[in-house]
Amino acid sequence: QVQLVESGGGLVQPGGSLRLSCAASGSISSIPAMGWYRQAPGRQRELVASITYTGRTNYADAVKGRFTISRDNAKNTIYLQMNSLRLEDTAIYYCNGGDSRANVLPWGQGTQVTVSL
């Protein structure tokens, strides 16, 4: 079973940037897509961005133009470059993978992103 470890979160001011990493313990090449999710206090976990093995991406409307998802297939690692951060981006960020219907990996611990003055 592949395990996922998220890192790169932290405290940043509005307008700042962070780059998150999701390191997989094994190959994720056979998983149709990987994605970043986030869960804010009192909110449902939501899909932020996804990327296929070949690099096709999709983004939630709330982050379009600000976040960029990418991957390094050789390293089995997914990244999320977060620019122009807003207060409402504050959440725990998780990664996972699967198809359009279901994720196939256990959830990791996530990484906390806090945007605050």
Side-chain angles (χ1 to χ4, degrees):
Q1 181 74 71
V2 171
Q3 294 179 303
L4 303 171
V5 179
E6 302 93 344
S7 63
L11 176 64
V12 65
Q13 293 183 330
S17 298
L18 287 171
R19 191 176 81 146
L20 308 184
S21 297
C22 171
S25 63
S27 176
I28 54 175
S29 298
S30 64
I31 301 175
M34 297 295 297
W36 282 97
Y37 299 75
R38 67 185 182 189
Q39 187 167 28
R43 304 277 186 167
Q44 298 289 325
R45 181 155 47 201
E46 62 176 339
L47 179 64
V48 173
S50 64
I51 185 167
T52 67
Y53 179 82
T54 58
R56 189 183 78 250
T57 60
N58 282 292
Y59 298 92
D61 288 343
V63 307
K64 283 182 179 177
R66 300 189 297 119
F67 293 6
T68 302
I69 188 171
S70 61
R71 65 190 298 163
D72 186 332
N73 291 331
K75 294 181 178 180
N76 293 309
T77 300
I78 310 298
Y79 305 96
L80 186 68
Q81 179 65 47
M82 310 166 67
N83 298 325
S84 301
L85 283 162
R86 304 168 179 171
L87 297 179
E88 54 264 40
D89 294 320
T90 296
I92 302 175
Y93 284 71
Y94 304 86
C95 62
N96 213 310
D99 57 23
S100 62
R101 293 180 294 168
N103 293 310
V104 298
L105 301 175
W107 296 102
Q109 295 300 305
T111 185
Q112 176 71 51
V113 172
T114 302
V115 184
S116 177
L117 295 170

